[in-house]
Amino acid sequence: MFAPADKAQADETAQSLAIDEGKKLYAVGCASCHGTGGEGTTDGPSLVGVGAAAVDFQVGTGRMPAQQPGAQVQKKKNIYSQAEIDQLAAYIASLGAGPSIPTEEKYRDEGADIAKGGDLFRTNCAQCHNFTGKGGALTHGKFAPSLEGVSAKHIYEAMQTGPQNMPSFPDTTLTEQNKKDIIAYLNAVNGDETVDPGGLSLGGLGPVSEGLFGWIFGLGSLIAVAVWVAARTAKAKKS
């Protein structure tokens, strides 16, 4: 009869310890930019309400702590273990409600619709990340990073939280199933089993872009060579 209460108390104690340890880590690695209580400063935004998912993404991909200020913080090797990231996430989550770290069930391919994921990706993501997630340039030194090699969990968290210059896609905009479908599509087009003939992919747009490239640059090159030959010939005749 008392077992559930004991378990709940143990879970609460473990959570409290995680928050305490996370607060210590935060004070050392984050407070100088984000404020001693996560309220934000001129050097970093407020972290109140960003949720554990944002911490897991930003710290897990090495973007935070930031190496240097700039138009966009770039991915690098992370300096925290997963246990430390979880502790930081627990502390930030305690400051205000926000997206939680997704379970594996939410982002694994099982039950996903790859074709629908492709449609959703082309509608919502391809404008910045390219049609197959290769990334692309934005304005004022910003860019949409390549999605090749990014873990499914981090892609899911990015859609949840909208890091850097990316808009967020909460469940009211893209449902959990929609996010799973998009991740399955990216795994399909960038996976190890995907056939890649090599060469310039031209954004993965298919034969239309490839034909246009061949027509403009191929024919243009032939015209340039023809003009050069004609000019050389005319010059030779005059001399």
Side-chain angles (χ1 to χ4, degrees):
M1 181 175 64
F2 295 102
D6 291 342
K7 185 178 185 303
Q9 186 176 7
D11 291 343
E12 185 177 348
T13 301
Q15 183 69 6
S16 297
L17 288 172
I19 292 172
D20 290 341
E21 292 301 317
K23 187 175 182 179
K24 295 174 184 176
L25 291 169
Y26 176 88
V28 174
C30 316
S32 59
C33 290
H34 295 285
T36 55
E39 70 277 7
T41 68
T42 55
D43 294 322
S46 170
L47 300 180
V48 178
V50 300
V55 178
D56 191 72
F57 174 84
Q58 296 284 4
V59 181
T61 59
R63 289 178 168 86
M64 291 291 154
Q67 191 171 32
Q68 61 184 18
Q72 183 163 329
V73 180
Q74 299 193 34
K75 179 180 178 180
K76 62 182 185 301
K77 185 177 180 180
N78 68 23
I79 61 173
Y80 292 99
S81 68
Q82 188 58 52
E84 291 172 328
I85 293 172
D86 291 340
Q87 291 167 350
L88 273 171
Y91 171 66
I92 297 301
S94 72
L95 301 179
S100 58
I101 299 173
T103 60
E104 185 179 352
E105 182 182 356
K106 292 184 178 181
Y107 53 78
R108 63 186 179 191
D109 288 353
E110 184 178 345
D113 186 334
I114 295 175
K116 185 176 181 181
D119 289 338
L120 290 168
F121 185 85
R122 287 185 288 272
T123 301
N124 297 283
C125 317
Q127 296 89 337
C128 296
H129 287 284
N130 194 286
F131 280 72
T132 55
K134 296 294 192 297
L138 300 175
T139 58
H140 305 294
K142 304 170 186 175
F143 63 93
S146 171
L147 301 179
E148 288 186 280
V150 180
S151 71
K153 182 176 75 165
H154 287 155
I155 293 175
Y156 192 102
E157 290 170 340
M159 288 188 279
Q160 278 185 306
T161 61
Q164 307 294 322
N165 305 290
M166 178 176 168
S168 61
F169 295 92
D171 291 345
T172 53
T173 304
L174 288 177
T175 65
E176 289 183 5
Q177 183 62 44
N178 291 156
K179 293 183 179 73
K180 177 182 284 193
D181 294 340
I182 289 174
I183 291 170
Y185 165 73
L186 289 171
N187 290 339
V189 295
N190 294 320
D192 295 334
E193 298 180 1
T194 303
V195 177
D196 184 0
L200 189 61
S201 64
L202 299 177
L205 297 178
V208 175
S209 62
E210 294 166 3
L212 182 64
F213 180 88
W215 178 262
I216 293 176
F217 289 92
L219 185 61
S221 298
L222 291 175
I223 293 173
V225 170
V227 170
W228 179 80
V229 170
R232 296 275 296 184
T233 303
K235 185 178 179 180
K237 287 182 178 180
K238 287 182 181 180
S239 60

